[in-house]
């Protein structure tokens, strides 16, 4: 009985100690929030304020870093006809098609973007197997900036940073995994564009130029091949003398 009383006493002491610590933390957080101009008088108020701050942060357009003004002179020196806005339009168009292809689980929508088609096909096939779905609604693009420019081995590469927003929802077996339907998801992407100005200097095995057969998924072994070596399916020829979107990524 004495041992039980000691155990109970220790537990009560621990609970009391933790309660005091919690009250001290609550008091300090409350004081800090009052100093910052937030009206918090209870735990419920604090939870509501935290939720409001989280929503406000989620709906604030993301900033993007870029060196547009520094890189443009070099790009225009190498490509006098370069049009910055046209590349931004291409980036927006590419991302809209990617989102649509994933949402509709139809990679044929990316037939004009062969470098992206095989990657998105992998995503779509995985989603079909796992019964995952995504929705993108009311997409709005905020800002574009040139993040990087490189020119070597017969190929030029430009990376574009993009800030955008959209309503978004991801489900698996009809269970919601990610939900941005009450307010928009603010995010950033990067799109990479390539321009092959001298095919003879380009390594045909370069990963950035990798294209897969839209039918069987086999790698197209060399630039300029019009048919798949494995299944014979016609492969859309890529116009290497224009800026083509080779990859995209959210960050």
């Amino acid at each position: 009985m004495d041992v039980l009383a000691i155990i109970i006493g220790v537990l009560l002491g621990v609970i009391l100690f933790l309660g005091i610590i919690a009250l001290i933390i609550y008091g300090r957080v409350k004081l800090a929030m009052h100093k910052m101009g937030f009206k918090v008088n209870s735990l419920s108020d604090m939870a509501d304020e935290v939720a409001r701050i989280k929503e406000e942060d989620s709906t604030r357009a993301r900033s993007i870093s870029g060196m547009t003004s520094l890189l443009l002179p070099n790009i225009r020196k190498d490509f006098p006809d370069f049009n910055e806005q046209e590349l931004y339009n291409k980036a927006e168009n590419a991302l809209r098609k990617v989102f649509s292809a994933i949402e509709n689980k139809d990679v044929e929508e990316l037939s004009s973007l062969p470098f992206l088609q095989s990657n998105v096909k992998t995503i779509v096939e995985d989603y079909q197997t796992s019964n995952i779905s995504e929705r993108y609604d009311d997409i709005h693009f905020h800002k574009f900036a040139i993040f990087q420019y490189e020119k070597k081995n017969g190929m030029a590469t430009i990376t574009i940073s993009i800030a955008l927003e959209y309503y978004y929802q991801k489900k698996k077996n009809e269970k919601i995994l990610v939900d941005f339907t009450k307010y928009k998801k603010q995010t950033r992407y990067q799109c990479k564009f390539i321009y092959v100005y001298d095919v003879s200097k380009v390594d045909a095995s370069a990963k950035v130029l990798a294209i897969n057969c839209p039918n069987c998924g086999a790698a197209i072994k060399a630039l300029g091949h019009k048919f798949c070596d494995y299944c014979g399916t016609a492969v859309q020829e890529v116009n290497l003398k224009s800026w083509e979107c080779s990859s995209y990524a959210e960050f």
Side-chain angles (χ1 to χ4, degrees):
M1 184 67 68
D2 291 339
V3 174
L4 181 60
I6 292 172
I7 293 173
I8 293 174
V10 170
L11 289 175
L12 289 173
V14 170
I15 292 172
L16 179 62
F17 175 75
L18 293 176
I20 293 171
I21 294 297
L23 286 173
I24 292 173
I25 294 173
Y26 168 71
R28 289 183 177 179
V29 172
K30 181 178 177 181
L31 179 62
M33 295 188 79
H34 272 297
K35 286 182 177 180
M36 290 187 290
F38 301 118
K39 295 181 179 180
V40 177
N41 297 307
S42 66
L43 287 173
S44 177
D45 289 342
M46 188 178 294
D48 291 342
E49 194 63 37
V50 169
R52 186 190 68 78
I53 293 171
K54 182 179 179 181
E55 179 176 343
E56 188 178 88
D57 179 66
S58 298
T59 55
R60 185 183 297 114
R62 295 290 180 262
S63 61
I64 54 173
S65 59
M67 297 186 291
T68 306
S69 59
L70 294 176
L71 295 175
L72 268 178
N74 292 333
I75 297 173
R76 287 177 174 151
K77 180 181 177 182
D78 296 331
F79 301 92
D81 296 329
F82 177 77
N83 187 307
E84 174 190 0
Q85 189 57 50
E86 282 185 9
L87 199 65
Y88 293 163
N89 292 341
K90 280 190 173 185
E92 177 176 338
N93 180 59
L95 286 179
R96 286 187 182 278
K97 286 189 174 183
V98 165
F99 298 151
S100 179
I102 292 174
E103 182 174 327
N104 298 323
K105 296 181 180 178
D106 182 7
V107 294
E108 290 302 314
E109 297 185 28
L110 294 173
S111 58
S112 62
L113 297 165
F115 291 114
L116 304 183
Q117 191 175 36
S118 59
N119 291 334
V120 174
K121 183 179 181 181
T122 301
I123 296 173
V124 168
E125 289 175 347
D126 178 60
Y127 280 9
Q128 289 173 332
T129 301
S130 305
N131 198 23
I132 293 175
S133 63
E134 288 185 348
R135 281 190 58 190
Y136 299 83
D137 293 314
D138 195 17
I139 304 165
H140 179 71
F141 289 75
H142 291 297
K143 299 176 183 177
F144 297 84
I146 298 176
F147 178 74
Q148 192 175 50
Y149 172 61
E150 189 176 40
K151 181 172 178 276
K152 65 178 183 179
N153 299 330
M155 183 168 62
T157 305
I158 295 178
T159 303
I160 303 293
S161 292
I162 307 160
L164 64 155
E165 65 175 36
Y166 44 67
Y167 290 110
Y168 172 78
Q169 190 175 73
K170 184 175 184 178
K171 293 181 179 180
K172 181 174 183 178
N173 298 319
E174 294 307 311
K175 179 182 179 181
I176 297 175
L177 302 178
V178 182
D179 191 21
F180 281 89
T181 53
K182 292 182 179 179
Y183 49 86
K184 286 185 171 182
K185 177 181 179 180
Q186 302 291 332
T187 187
R188 298 171 296 186
Y189 281 77
Q190 282 190 342
C191 286
K192 185 170 289 188
F193 288 83
I194 58 173
Y195 187 111
V196 178
Y197 58 86
D198 190 342
V199 177
S200 65
K201 294 181 180 179
V202 177
D203 181 359
S205 64
K207 289 183 179 180
V208 72
L209 293 174
I211 297 177
N212 294 77
C213 172
N215 181 51
C216 71
I220 305 304
K221 294 182 177 180
L223 294 173
H225 277 205
K226 297 181 180 181
F227 296 92
C228 175
D229 293 334
Y230 291 89
C231 69
T233 299
V235 179
Q236 181 172 335
E237 189 173 3
V238 180
N239 180 11
L240 299 174
K241 291 293 184 181
S242 69
W243 292 102
E244 295 291 335
C245 189
S246 63
S247 65
Y248 75 97
E250 186 176 13
F251 71 102

